[in-house]
Every structure is written in structure tokens, then in C-alpha cells.
Amino acid sequence: MTRHYVGIDLGGTFIKGLIMDESGQIVANGSMPTSRDGVDAVMADMIALARELSVDRPVAGIGVAAPGVVDMAAGEVKFLPNVAGDWLGRPAARELGDAIGAPAWLMNDARAATFGEAHFGAGRGFADFVMVAVGTGIGGGIVADGRLLLGSAGHAGEVGHIALELHGPACSCSGWGCAEALVSGKALSADGRALMASGGSPGLAQATGGDPEKISPALIARVAETGDAGASELMREAGYRLGMLIGNLALLLNPRRVVLGGGIALAGRPLFDRVEETLQLRIGWYLRHAPIEVVPAALGDEAGALGAAAWARDRAERAAN
Amino acid sequence: MTRHYVGIDLGGTFIKGLIMDESGQIVANGSMPTSRDGVDAVMADMIALARELSVDRPVAGIGVAAPGVVDMAAGEVKFLPNVAGDWLGRPAARELGDAIGAPAWLMNDARAATFGEAHFGAGRGFADFVMVAVGTGIGGGIVADGRLLLGSAGHAGEVGHIALELHGPACSCSGWGCAEALVSGKALSADGRALMASGGSPGLAQATGGDPEKISPALIARVAETGDAGASELMREAGYRLGMLIGNLALLLNPRRVVLGGGIALAGRPLFDRVEETLQLRIGWYLRHAPIEVVPAALGDEAGALGAAAWARDRAERAAN
């Protein structure tokens, strides 16, 4: 009977899960809202979802992706800013593994999404690529020489907090000048609200009926496409900032591809064009020798769970050999 | 008879060379000024130096470090901004190899220095470290998971052109906001000259007799230590900027160590303290889980030639197995 691998992606809003066979085919999936009732409730929900997915299927490994800092080697959560409760030291991998009766591995969700894109998405066939996932915040992951780059303690790939300004705006991380404070979904929405409040975008005012809560990066991109000057300038600036960030990744890692995920990847051609233009202006000399292409992610919301399942497969196969 | 490996480090001012036995012991070394008479003259000098070093010693491989962009796979130079002549396409590895009768490999000099520090210096025993070499410009190299990180075309590690400002000062690379434009030896000396010209540093004026050409990072550091307020502030700002750069490397690569080389590494404790302070303020949350130490390079001027020789040994041994 074929082996199966479960992937669980714990998000701030939803827990998503899937089970795949050893060839990587998704056999079943499911999701549930993330409980606000604390760590035990969330753990119980993740276990219930994994159990439901694995009924009548032999599970050879479980991968768990979590939105924050984790200790991969110990399988312990360190810090999840967007999930209720104090997670410090929670042995999430062991708890899930014991409940299902299979080995389990814990990893950061952006690294899981990177591993997912590497195996099933826009990174497939590329030994060197970088993922930049621009959602509410910014996550990332690095594949170098065909392997997920982890660093000395498993925390490599923290793209979102790369400084792009020596004295830039404060970031929720307690630092400043971070990419996340300058060009995340959160930052872009805030810029959009400020723009609308200043009367600088009739298009945004019309599209939202004046409700600032309705402003999102996707909406700003749509309004920009109607020719609204203010929204267009916001998107141009976002593309510039993303280009500056991606340029830094290119210089440091020389990836063949940069995979842009999260909501902003849906902003379409004008954003990617502006990223490309910025890259050529700033580091054209380098890109002549070390060309890159910036492409949208291929897996969407499923990247994290897919990557977590693929990671479990990878780890289980390594352990067996 | 034991195998030997030659390392040649082509610099803008000197060509340095050494020969080591297979255990890594340096058997002989030498150097000569870099000719200004063009590519053929420089190639002839490198060959003469390699030949002199290899008299009566069986050479199993030659490593050549060059200060610019090279095609490692082809062994061809692409662009050397600081060595006279048009190097584009010059097959330096093959020419040296043919002349000496041994396989030869070409690499960037900062990557060679990184490989040297990895085997014989401050990176020894560390599977994950980053080198930042702050000389006139800024070079770098990355060791991840015990291997030199090269990227898809061999150009990974271009630390010097990481942007630290979205709209920062112009850089000699044709870009802007680069670390090299903000905190290299060149940038720091320029800041020192401007400071002295504005009357902001009596200490610098005294130490140089008013001659701006005498200003160097080492001199600014020495004057700062005498209590000169202007020079001290320059060094504080340099430490801050280096801290911002190193923070970015830490977030992305999670190295256990950052090895700081080049002249600025000699600036001593106050600079390293300011780097450390900046790191803690900006990414303390991250460093709690992913600690790093910033240490001075151990090999000084010999790092490039040593690393090139060690790279030749590594490549030759791989080819043999």
C-alpha cells in the first residue's frame, strides 16, 4: 500500500490540511477556521484535521507549517505573533506525531511554501531560487544548490525584515526600515488609506464608497488599472520597493528565479514590469552575468500545506536511507 | 611525493601567490606589483609567479582569485574594474593551467578569501558563516551548510551592492544606495575628508597636517580613539551602517558567524561594539533564536591566495573521486 504524507498549514485565519501520496498527488484536503481559544484548542483542531485526512490511509510522515519562529530540530514552536496563546516551547511536532502515530516535522510557513513551490510549483526544476511571499506581512525562503537553505539554527530566509532604509519606518518586529514596513500588504493598504484620506485617489474613494477598511493591495491594483493617478503611483512605488528588495536577494544569492507569492503577485503585469525596470536600473551590470526572472508563485494558498507534506516525505525518506 | 596547490590572488595593486602542500601548509609564497601594461603583461606575470612557486614541486591544481566578475565554469574573466585592460572573455584559468601543466580554476577574490577563512581562518569549523570584506570596496562570500554558496551562475555573495537606502548615494557600480557607497573604505575616507574640510575634526586636521589624501579608515579610527568628537561620530555611523548590513545577512542566511575582513576590521573594539548594539536594537527578536557573532577575519592579506589554493585542492579532489 502506498505511503501517504500529511501537510498541515497553520495560519492566522485558517488551518489548512491535505494528504498526498508518495508521488506527490493530493488525495484529500480540508480546512477549518483557526480557533481564538488558545494553544490547546488550536493543537486539538490540527490533530482532528490530520486524523480526518488520514483515515484508512497509512501515514508515513506529517509536516506542520507555522506562521512564525520555530525550532525545526526540536519540533517546538517559539513565537507565533498571529495565533492566539503563548506558544513558546510547545512541542507541536511531537504532539501531532504521537496522535497520528507517525513522525512529524515542524517548519516555518514561508519556508514550507518555498519547498512546495520547489517541488510542485514555480521553483520546480530550478536549483537556485528565492521565494518572496508578500501577504499581510512578508515571508520568504531560499533554495540553493537544490536544497532548502536553513542556516545554522533553521531560520534562514527572513526576507520580510531585510532593511531597505537605514532609518526607515518602524516595523511590528520592533525594528525599522524593514521591507515588511515598506511594501507588505499591510504597508500598502495603509498607504492606500492615507492616499484616500488626503483626497489623492478619486478611484479608491469610489471603489470603496469611502470605507477605508475595504482597501487592499488587490483593490489598489485594480483602481490603478482604471487610470487613477494616485493609485497608479502607489503601485509604481510598491514595484520599485519590491525591485530594490529582490535586487538585494539577487546580489546575495544569485538565484535563477525569484518567485513572488501572496496577494501582491495577483497585481499583475504593471507591478512585475516596474520590478524588472528597477532591477535593470539598479543592478543591470550584475544581471548581465547573473540573469534572473521574477515570476508569480504557482500554488496559491495550498503552497504551505503542500510544502509541509513534501518536507515530511523528504525527511522520512532521508531517515529511511 | 606530496601534491601541491598554487594559489594566485590578482589584486589591483599586487599579485600575490603561494604554494601549499595537500595538508594546507604554505611551502612558499611571493608577490609582485600588478602591471599597468595590460592584460597580456598581467597574465605573463601571473604565469611567471606560478612557475617560480612550482619549481621542483608537483602541482596538482592552481586556483586564481580575481577582483571582479568571472565565469567560474568557463574559467573566463568577465570584468575587472581595478586591473588595466579589457579582460572580457580572457580564459585566465586555461592559460595558467596550460603554462604550468595542471588544472586551474578561476574565482572571485572575495569568494576566495571566504573559502580561505573557511579552511584556515575565522570560519573554520562553522558550517554557516558569511564574510564581509570592507576594503576600498566591499566584497563578500557565503558558506552555507559547509559549502561555498555560488548561486546559479557563480555570482552569489555580492554583499557590497546590497541596497541599504531606497534612494541612497550613487555607487561606482552605476546603482545607488549600495553598502559600498555608504560604508566602504572609500566612502568612509570621503566622509572623513568632508568632515575635516568643514572644520569638524581638529584631530584629523592635526594627524594629517591638513592633507586630505592622508585620511583612511584606520586613521579615522585612531583619531576617534583620542576622543575627537567628529571622528568618533563617523566611526559610530560606520558601525551602525555595518550593523544594518550584517543584520540583513543574518536575517537572510542565519549564519553562526559573520567574519569582518579588510582594513575596517582593524578599527577595533568600538566599531564591533557599535555593530553589535545596532544588531541587538534592530533584530534582537531574531538573534535570540538565531544568534550570531561578528568576528574579525584571521588571515589578513593572504586569505585570497590561500582560499584560491584550497579551492583548487577541493576541485581537484572532487574531480579525482
Side-chain angles (χ1 to χ4, degrees), chain A residues 188-263:
Chain A
L188 196 52
S189 296
D191 288 347
R193 288 193 297 271
L195 179 70
M196 188 171 81
S198 74
S201 172
L204 274 179
Q206 191 187 354
T208 60
D211 179 358
E213 292 308 309
K214 291 191 175 152
I215 290 178
S216 69
L219 184 72
I220 299 170
R222 276 206 305 280
V223 170
E225 274 174 34
T226 68
D228 182 274
S232 296
E233 184 47 38
L234 269 195
M235 291 308 296
R236 267 184 71 77
E237 180 63 20
Y240 177 79
R241 292 174 181 187
L242 272 178
M244 295 296 284
L245 174 63
I246 290 171
N248 284 356
L249 303 176
L251 288 162
L252 208 51
L253 299 164
N254 185 19
R256 188 68 195 77
R257 275 198 159 179
V258 175
V259 175
L260 197 53

Side-chain angles (χ1 to χ4, degrees), chain B residues 59-72:
Chain B
V59 174
I62 304 166
V64 186
V69 181
V70 304
D71 181 333
M72 292 180 83

Side-chain angles (χ1 to χ4, degrees), chain A:
Chain A
M1 203 168 170
T2 181
R3 284 146 189 253
H4 288 77
Y5 298 92
V6 170
I8 302 284
D9 184 11
L10 170 58
T13 316
F14 286 97
I15 302 170
K16 300 191 196 86
L18 57 80
I19 184 164
M20 69 179 206
D21 64 24
E22 59 196 329
S23 78
Q25 204 65 41
I26 298 175
V27 178
N29 57 19
S31 75
M32 57 177 71
T34 305
S35 167
R36 299 276 157 203
D37 297 339
V39 178
D40 288 337
V42 171
M43 281 303 309
D45 282 350
M46 287 200 287
I47 287 168
L49 180 56
R51 202 168 262 149
E52 184 191 314
L53 290 165
S54 57
V55 166
D56 290 334
R57 295 183 189 106
V59 174
I62 305 167
V64 186
V69 181
V70 304
D71 181 334
M72 292 180 84
E76 287 180 10
V77 181
K78 291 295 182 188
F79 177 53
L80 302 185
N82 299 313
V83 183
D86 176 11
W87 285 85
L88 181 65
R90 188 78 183 210
R94 202 185 62 224
E95 289 182 38
L96 260 152
D98 286 353
I100 307 300
W105 290 269
L106 180 64
M107 70 196 308
N108 168 275
D109 61 348
R111 257 70 84 196
T114 304
F115 205 69
E117 293 286 343
H119 281 259
F120 310 108
R124 197 169 181 171
F126 290 86
D128 297 274
F129 81 93
V130 181
M131 171 128 188
V132 181
V134 185
T136 306
I138 298 181
I142 300 162
V143 170
D145 215 358
R147 299 190 297 181
L148 191 63
L149 195 148
L150 297 172
S152 66
H155 302 302
E158 274 297 342
V159 171
H161 300 286
I162 297 283
L164 298 176
E165 290 272 56
L166 288 173
H167 303 279
C171 182
S172 59
C173 73
S174 77
W176 59 89
C178 304
E180 186 163 306
L182 289 161
V183 67
S184 62
K186 207 163 43 182
L188 196 52
S189 296
D191 288 347
R193 288 193 297 271
L195 179 70
M196 188 171 81
S198 74
S201 172
L204 274 179
Q206 191 187 354
T208 60
D211 179 358
E213 292 308 309
K214 291 191 175 152
I215 290 178
S216 69
L219 184 72
I220 299 170
R222 276 206 305 280
V223 170
E225 274 174 34
T226 68
D228 182 274
S232 296
E233 184 47 38
L234 269 195
M235 291 308 296
R236 267 184 71 77
E237 180 63 20
Y240 177 79
R241 292 174 181 187
L242 272 178
M244 295 296 284
L245 174 63
I246 290 171
N248 284 356
L249 303 176
L251 288 162
L252 208 51
L253 299 164
N254 185 19
R256 188 68 195 77
R257 275 198 159 179
V258 175
V259 175
L260 197 53
I264 205 147
L266 309 175
R269 207 57 254 167
L271 182 83
F272 282 80
D273 287 346
R274 179 67 169 147
V275 166
E276 180 62 28
E277 180 190 30
T278 305
L279 283 168
Q280 289 301 335
L281 280 171
R282 209 184 91 76
I283 55 166
W285 64 274
Y286 177 79
L287 298 174
R288 274 196 293 284
H289 307 293
I292 61 166
E293 41 184 5
V294 181
V295 300
L299 300 179
D301 277 356
E302 230 161 22
L306 261 173
W311 183 251
R313 180 180 65 177
D314 185 79
R315 295 294 103 177
E317 285 175 357
R318 264 168 215 265
N321 293 332

Side-chain angles (χ1 to χ4, degrees), chain B residues 248-275:
Chain B
N248 284 356
L249 303 175
L251 288 160
L252 208 51
L253 300 163
N254 185 18
R256 188 68 193 77
R257 274 196 160 180
V258 175
V259 175
L260 197 53
I264 206 149
L266 309 175
R269 208 56 255 165
L271 181 83
F272 281 80
D273 285 347
R274 179 67 169 149
V275 167

Side-chain angles (χ1 to χ4, degrees), chain B residues 83-171:
Chain B
V83 183
D86 176 10
W87 286 87
L88 181 65
R90 188 79 183 211
R94 202 186 63 224
E95 289 182 37
L96 260 152
D98 287 352
I100 308 298
W105 289 269
L106 181 63
M107 70 196 308
N108 168 275
D109 61 348
R111 258 70 84 195
T114 305
F115 205 70
E117 292 287 342
H119 281 260
F120 310 108
R124 196 168 182 172
F126 289 85
D128 298 273
F129 80 94
V130 181
M131 171 128 189
V132 181
V134 186
T136 306
I138 299 181
I142 299 162
V143 170
D145 215 358
R147 299 191 297 181
L148 191 64
L149 195 148
L150 297 173
S152 66
H155 302 302
E158 275 297 340
V159 170
H161 301 285
I162 298 282
L164 297 176
E165 290 272 55
L166 288 173
H167 304 279
C171 182

